[in-house]
């Protein structure tokens, strides 16, 4: 089947997509956007989190055909040209990136949280990121990064 959808503001078409193919596979292997990671393929780790019509989803659980005619935004789409999104900058600045495997999903999820709640509490940050697993950082630097990104975003509003 053919799937046509918008990815990071650009229309994309994937041909010969089989019925069981995930959105994650299409994004990584057919569209060439490797940012979203393939870790569990069961929606348990959050490494593949992307926006689908403005809502965060685990791309490994979305059949590619479900993206037909819809809007997808990946971690690559958060940056504006060469300028990183404030969440991406904060993750780098706070050292919240270790091996980097979980980072794309955490960044998308943190971005969504800050869009919904300008100054989230630590409890709100922890709850929002609960579906994203990280084996390297111990989460403190990740929480620091979300706090920093929220503070900076609030300054620019």
């Amino acid at each position: 089947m053919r799937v046509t959808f918008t990815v990071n503001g650009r229309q994309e078409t994937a041909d010969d997509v089989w019925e069981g193919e995930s959105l994650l596979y299409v994004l990584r292997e057919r569209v060439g956007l490797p940012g979203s990671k393939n870790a569990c393929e069961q929606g348990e780790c959050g490494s593949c989190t992307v926006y689908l019509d403005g809502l965060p989803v685990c791309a490994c659980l979305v059949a590619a055909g479900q993206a037909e005619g819809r809007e997808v935004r990946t971690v690559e789409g958060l940056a504006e040209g060469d300028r990183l999104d404030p969440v991406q900058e904060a993750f780098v600045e706070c050292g919240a990136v270790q091996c980097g495997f979980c980072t794309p999903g955490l960044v998308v999820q943190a971005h969504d949280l800050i869009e919904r709640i300008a100054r989230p509490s630590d409890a709100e940050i922890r709850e929002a990121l609960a579906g994203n697993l990280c084996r390297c950082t111990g989460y403190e630097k990740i929480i620091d990064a979300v706090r920093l990104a929220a503070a900076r975003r609030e300054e620019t509003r």
Side-chain angles (χ1 to χ4, degrees):
M1 96 180 116
R2 171 179 274 184
V3 179
T4 301
F5 56 110
T6 303
V7 182
N8 300 331
R10 194 172 133 205
Q11 186 170 322
E12 296 284 350
T13 299
D15 289 317
D16 300 322
V17 175
W18 59 279
E19 291 79 17
E21 206 164 299
S22 70
L23 175 60
L24 176 61
Y25 184 86
V26 169
L27 290 170
R28 290 179 57 80
E29 305 300 328
R30 295 179 182 268
V31 179
L33 294 172
S36 304
K37 302 302 182 204
N38 186 3
C40 74
E41 296 183 11
Q42 298 177 9
E44 295 291 328
C45 71
S47 294
C48 65
T49 303
V50 299
Y51 284 110
L52 180 62
D53 290 338
L55 298 173
V57 298
C58 290
C60 71
L61 296 180
V62 177
Q66 290 178 291
E68 175 65 37
R70 298 175 78 183
E71 177 82 29
V72 175
R73 190 173 182 196
T74 68
V75 69
E76 293 96 337
L78 297 181
E80 292 184 25
D82 291 339
R83 187 162 190 260
L84 294 178
D85 181 84
V87 176
Q88 294 167 314
E89 288 177 344
F91 267 66
V92 172
E93 195 170 319
C94 290
V97 179
Q98 296 277 319
C99 80
F101 212 78
C102 66
T103 305
L106 282 163
V107 166
V108 171
Q109 197 66 46
H111 183 272
D112 178 66
L113 172 64
I114 295 168
E115 288 294 308
R116 291 183 294 108
I117 303 170
R119 288 300 287 246
S121 67
D122 284 2
E124 290 168 323
I125 294 170
R126 289 178 192 280
E127 184 174 337
L129 302 182
N132 295 76
L133 302 179
C134 175
R135 294 187 173 115
C136 301
T137 66
Y139 296 97
E140 281 307 311
K141 291 181 179 186
I142 293 167
I143 293 168
D144 291 344
V146 177
R147 279 191 217 114
L148 177 62
R152 286 188 177 159
R153 184 158 289 168
E154 191 173 67
E155 290 171 3
T156 62
R157 284 185 180 176

